[in-house]
Amino acid sequence: MPYEPPTHTVERSLRATTGAKIVAGVDEVGRGAWAGPVTVCAAVTGLRRPPAGLTDSKLISPKRRAELAPVLEHWVTAYGVGDSSPQEIDELGMTAALRLAAVRALEALPVRPDAVILDGKHDYLGSPWRVRTVIKGDQSCIAVAAASVIAKVRRDAMMAELGAQSGEYADFAFDANAGYPSPVHRAALEERGPTAHHRLSWSYLDALPRWQHLKKVRISAEAAALESGGQLGFDF
């Protein structure tokens, strides 16, 4: 199915209505994973024409994503990447962990942006950042689409490297599932239990009686409610 290419429409609107000169597109990957960090990329693109084929990373084949990411890294005006670890996710909850990773990505930029286009409908970033949320921004906004591809390729490579570092994690097939739910991943969890790279507050442990004693209690019922959607968002 063909998709409409992303544009600079939202960025132009922000520039016209707020006077922003530097606008960053921000997107995350890893929210619904059982293992590994949540990764956020902030990308500044200006108003230049993007490389051909740019769209939401989930709509691009893994091979094409891997080819496009280094092109984008040289094409963008600037980009920054930030992570929140599984331990930070367990301790802070997903909403706060997302904000931490996003702030790390934005602060890695050489210049602080005047405004941020954030993919989705929830502003997990908040003050003091000037944020415009855009549902499916990774499909419609060039800067957000660029951020989505860079973040996805970076995190997938990180998880593949983790699986390759030691035979200890081979059974989990992180190179294939990037820490997301899959039959192979579930089978390895049932047999071996979670590793140091798994999120121990996640509900997948409820279905693993042998390992339920390892589950960490979330910081509050409110935080658990805010994060429940994150565990369902598989984005292979």
Side-chain angles (χ1 to χ4, degrees), residues 66-174:
E67 294 169 348
L68 187 56
V71 174
L72 289 169
E73 290 175 5
H74 287 91
W75 171 79
V76 297
T77 303
Y79 74 93
V81 178
D83 300 302
S84 283
S85 69
Q87 291 73 31
E88 289 172 326
I89 293 169
D90 287 334
E91 291 170 8
L92 301 174
M94 179 53 79
T95 302
L98 270 173
R99 185 178 194 279
L100 180 60
V103 170
R104 286 168 174 166
L106 288 163
E107 290 183 343
L109 294 171
V111 180
R112 182 185 177 95
D114 303 309
V116 173
I117 304 171
L118 188 63
D119 180 54
K121 63 180 179 179
H122 298 299
D123 178 8
Y124 57 77
L125 192 54
S127 180
W129 305 93
R130 178 184 289 167
V131 176
R132 173 79 61 86
T133 57
V134 178
I135 296 173
K136 294 188 177 179
D138 47 10
Q139 291 184 38
S140 61
C141 303
I142 287 173
V144 181
S148 79
V149 172
I150 294 172
K152 175 68 173 168
V153 171
R154 284 291 187 96
R155 187 181 182 279
D156 283 358
M158 186 188 314
M159 295 304 295
E161 183 178 354
L162 174 63
Q165 281 177 351
S166 166
E168 181 183 358
Y169 303 125
D171 292 349
F172 293 93
F174 289 147

Side-chain angles (χ1 to χ4, degrees), residues 32-53:
W34 289 347
V38 62
T39 298
V40 175
C41 179
V44 179
T45 65
L47 298 176
R48 291 174 298 149
R49 184 187 299 273

